[in-house]
Amino acid sequence: MGAKLVINGVHVVAMGMANAFLIESDDGLTLIDAGFPAKEAAVFGAIKAIGRSADQLRHLIFTHGHPDHIGSAAAIVRRTSARTYMHPLDISITESGGPFRPMRPAPGLLGQVLCRLFFNPDERMEPVTIDQPLSDGELLPIAGGIEVIHTPGHCAGHVALLWRPGRMLFAGDVCTNLMGLGDPVGFENLEQGRASQRKLAGLSFDAAGFGHGGPIPRDASTRFRNKWGKESPA
Ligand SMILES: [Zn+2]
Ligand SMILES: [Zn+2]
């Protein structure tokens, strides 16, 4: 499995049931999320497929500290010495490798099934050290500028990331794009999760990537607005 181009400079790395993203820029490679455990070969394969080497991976930014986003991180860091970034509220979970905070399934039958199937709070991951905590509104001087948007609800320390040069939003698990835009499998706090979906619907971007489901290469913010945008005041 190689890398699939989403927009110029961004490749989606299919890591089984979860996605990671590789951003290529003058300052090297940046990886967003690190999949389930034992999926590091997908990342190294993708790096090779775009003609780069593992030592060019400089940054590993996590949308949140769930098993399907941090699972292969330790193995990736060992081989690349990439600097790691995460919101403070998820750092202790990631650095201990679990247990994880419980989630309630998303509303609807599918949420009930998927949450039980894909999320076990007692699961243990290989611990990963986080080098740099992220804060809401911060603009990381990486790959020409990556904006950090705190989007709790699915997970307290969840952030979405907006890569400014390519106008691409990395939504993590704020939502999925499995059969169109929809909820993640579960929420720690549903109200906060809805507020985060509305927050992303209020932003302007072209492309979007998701932890689960296919990326949207263009007109993505229109779809977010149609799904979660506020009604315009009368
Ligand atoms: Zn998650
Ligand atoms: Zn996930």
Side-chain angles (χ1 to χ4, degrees):
M1 271 304 293
K4 200 170 156 239
L5 196 70
V6 183
I7 58 164
N8 206 2
V10 181
H11 308 263
V12 59
V13 184
M15 300 180 77
M17 299 296 291
N19 299 316
F21 294 88
L22 259 181
I23 305 176
E24 253 189 307
S25 59
D26 295 340
D27 51 347
L29 299 174
T30 300
L31 183 68
I32 295 182
D33 285 333
F36 281 102
K39 297 287 181 190
E40 61 273 14
V43 171
F44 296 128
I47 291 173
K48 204 175 162 200
I50 62 170
R52 302 283 203 132
S53 57
D55 63 308
Q56 289 177 299
L57 184 68
R58 302 271 151 75
H59 310 281
L60 170 48
I61 310 176
F62 299 99
T63 57
H64 62 301
H66 271 169
D68 52 328
H69 296 254
I70 64 168
S72 294
I76 292 167
V77 169
R78 258 196 302 280
R79 224 177 108 182
T80 61
S81 69
R83 188 169 173 77
T84 52
Y85 305 78
M86 182 178 273
H87 190 278
L89 289 173
D90 282 10
I91 289 179
S92 64
I93 293 172
T94 301
E95 293 194 332
S96 64
F100 298 85
R101 286 183 298 261
M103 281 195 294
R104 288 226 180 95
L109 188 61
L110 196 63
Q112 298 279 346
V113 176
L114 293 180
C115 200
R116 225 161 274 151
L117 211 60
F118 289 108
F119 184 72
N120 169 14
D122 295 322
E123 213 172 331
R124 293 299 176 123
M125 296 292 118
E126 190 177 345
V128 188
T129 303
I130 301 300
D131 300 310
Q132 189 171 322
L134 298 171
S135 48
D136 184 40
E138 177 180 14
L139 183 63
L140 296 167
I142 295 171
I146 298 177
E147 191 180 329
V148 176
I149 305 143
H150 186 211
T151 42
H154 169 71
C155 192
H158 194 290
V159 297
L161 300 157
L162 183 61
W163 183 47
R164 285 197 179 166
R167 292 178 48 81
M168 177 158 180
L169 179 79
F170 300 94
D173 286 1
V174 169
C175 51
T176 55
N177 189 34
L178 293 164
M179 289 166 287
L181 290 180
D183 281 334
V185 295
F187 293 94
E188 290 177 3
N189 182 316
L190 179 61
E191 285 313 301
Q192 281 184 3
R194 288 276 174 263
S196 291
Q197 289 166 338
R198 287 194 296 269
K199 191 172 181 180
L200 296 188
L203 302 177
S204 171
F205 49 90
D206 295 329
F210 307 86
H212 310 278
I216 301 172
R218 65 190 71 84
D219 285 334
S221 61
T222 308
R223 291 206 219 170
F224 274 70
R225 243 186 341 269
N226 290 342
K227 180 85 183 170
W228 292 295
K230 287 194 198 101
E231 311 272 306
S232 45

